[in-house]
């Protein structure tokens, strides 16, 4: 269920908006208000999936509500509705899901909410990794391996590698143990991504991955357990 809070000071427009939302499957209007300060309090208390904000709210504007709520709910989906095109840049900078101009484009609203539903279903399968630049949401299936880096870790994915603020042990606890294997003190490896092993030195193998130049290392002491785990995932 997509839980929505609405902040719109035009009473007739708000009634029209709610009427449309109530016809949509999988959508629930949790609260509506015409005041910016009230909207902010409601968002913090209710923690909905979506906020639909009119930019020209009394109290504090919809833009200010969005700026403040981002501190509490960085992943809240925000839809701005307004008559003023000059606020588009502000909406973009706040990572708004959409910016819909009045009069209300019902088709566009439905398409935007459908897109958000699909996105939230995908987000249920992702893990948040805290970095210096913010929080990255990563699907574990995209991870090749994770490498310890002092008290932090380097995460290697299909698209990029980045440093996160979690230790390797903390990440190991977050990830599915049937998919990931601790190959030595420094590496956690996605077993589904492994392509081959080759000798590295007297105590370790080098791990190569499918479709990637990344490398990890396996302690030879753990070879039999590693081999058993790889076999088990392809039998299941």
């Amino acid at each position: 269920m997509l839980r929505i809070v609405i902040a719109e000071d035009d009473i007739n427009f708000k009634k029209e908006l709610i009427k449309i939302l109530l016809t949509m499957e999988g959508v629930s209007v949790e609260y509506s208000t015409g005041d910016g300060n009230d909207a902010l309090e409601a968002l913090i208390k209710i923690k909905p999936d979506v906020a639909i904000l009119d930019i020209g709210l009394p109290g504090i504007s919809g833009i200010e509500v969005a700026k403040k709520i981002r501190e509490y709910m960085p992943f809240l989906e925000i839809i701005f509705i307004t008559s003023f095109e000059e606020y588009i840049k502000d909406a973009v900078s706040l990572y708004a899901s959409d910016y819909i101009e009045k009069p209300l484009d019902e088709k566009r609203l439905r398409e935007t909410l459908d897109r958000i539903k699909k996105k939230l279903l995908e987000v249920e399968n992702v893990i948040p990794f805290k970095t210096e630049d913010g929080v990255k949401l990563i699907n574990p299936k995209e991870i090749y391996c994770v490498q310890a880096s002092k008290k932090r870790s380097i995460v290697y994915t299909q698209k990029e590698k980045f440093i996160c603020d979690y230790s390797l042990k903390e990440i190991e606890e977050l990830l599915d143990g049937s998919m990931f294997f601790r190959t030595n003190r420094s590496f956690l490896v996605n077993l589904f991504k492994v392509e081959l092993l080759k000798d590295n030195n007297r105590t370790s193998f080098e791990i190569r991955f499918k479709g990637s130049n990344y490398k990890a290392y396996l302690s030879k002491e753990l070879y039999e357990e590693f081999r058993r785990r790889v076999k088990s995932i392809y039998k299941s």
Side-chain angles (χ1 to χ4, degrees):
M1 182 68 69
L2 205 61
R3 300 167 63 248
I4 298 175
V5 166
I6 299 168
E8 168 61 61
D9 65 332
D10 183 324
I11 295 175
N12 291 328
F13 185 89
K14 183 166 62 178
K15 286 181 180 178
E16 178 191 358
L17 177 58
I18 292 173
K19 184 177 179 181
I20 292 170
L21 291 172
L22 292 178
T23 67
M24 297 184 188
E25 186 177 352
V27 170
S28 171
V29 178
E30 300 292 311
Y31 188 78
S32 66
T33 181
D35 179 81
N37 288 306
D38 187 39
L40 182 59
E41 290 179 12
L43 289 169
I44 293 171
K45 182 178 179 180
I46 297 170
K47 295 181 174 58
D49 302 301
V50 182
I52 299 180
L53 305 176
D54 178 25
I55 286 180
L57 292 171
I60 58 174
S61 71
I63 292 291
E64 288 303 313
V65 171
K67 287 179 180 178
K68 291 178 183 295
I69 199 61
R70 278 283 180 246
E71 298 174 15
Y72 300 93
M73 302 174 65
F75 304 119
L76 176 68
E77 300 289 340
I78 297 174
I79 300 173
F80 286 115
I81 296 181
T82 188
S83 304
F84 306 104
E85 290 186 6
E86 61 264 32
Y87 290 106
I88 290 178
K89 287 184 179 179
D90 289 320
V92 170
S93 70
L94 288 163
Y95 305 105
S97 301
D98 204 354
Y99 181 99
I100 300 176
E101 294 181 62
K102 295 179 180 179
L104 181 62
D105 185 336
E106 182 178 340
K107 181 174 180 291
R108 180 165 171 174
L109 177 64
R110 289 180 180 275
E111 289 173 349
T112 298
L113 291 175
D114 283 342
R115 187 178 74 247
I116 291 172
K117 285 181 190 177
K118 291 177 183 177
K119 179 180 176 181
L120 291 179
L121 285 174
E122 292 173 359
V123 166
E124 289 177 1
N125 299 316
V126 301
I127 293 175
F129 289 90
K130 188 177 179 182
T131 74
E132 290 181 349
D133 300 322
V135 177
K136 288 181 179 287
L137 296 177
I138 304 294
N139 189 317
K141 292 180 180 179
E142 297 180 1
I143 298 173
Y144 284 90
C145 63
V146 184
Q147 181 181 7
S149 178
K150 296 183 179 179
K151 293 183 179 181
R152 299 196 291 175
S153 300
I154 304 170
V155 181
Y156 297 82
T157 74
Q158 292 176 356
K159 297 178 182 179
E160 61 179 335
K161 66 177 182 178
F162 61 88
I163 297 174
C164 77
D165 294 341
Y166 302 134
S167 68
L168 192 63
K169 185 176 185 299
E170 288 173 325
I171 293 178
E172 187 175 11
E173 292 173 355
L174 288 172
L175 295 172
D176 184 349
S178 65
M179 181 186 299
F180 289 86
F181 182 75
R182 184 77 169 263
T183 57
N184 62 18
R185 290 182 179 180
S186 299
F187 281 94
L188 187 62
V189 167
N190 185 342
L191 297 172
F192 288 88
K193 297 289 189 183
V194 173
E195 183 172 50
L196 62 86
L197 294 180
K198 68 177 189 177
D199 267 311
N200 180 56
N201 56 36
R202 184 174 56 85
T203 61
S204 69
F205 293 104
E206 180 183 289
I207 302 172
R208 292 294 184 96
F209 299 97
K210 301 170 185 176
S212 170
N213 293 323
Y214 297 146
K215 298 177 185 178
Y217 297 93
L218 168 68
S219 169
K220 288 187 175 180
E221 294 178 354
L222 296 173
Y223 172 72
E224 290 300 328
E225 175 65 14
F226 178 83
R227 184 181 177 198
R228 184 188 69 76
R229 288 284 303 280
V230 170
K231 280 186 175 181
S232 70
I233 64 172
Y234 287 106
K235 284 182 181 178
S236 59

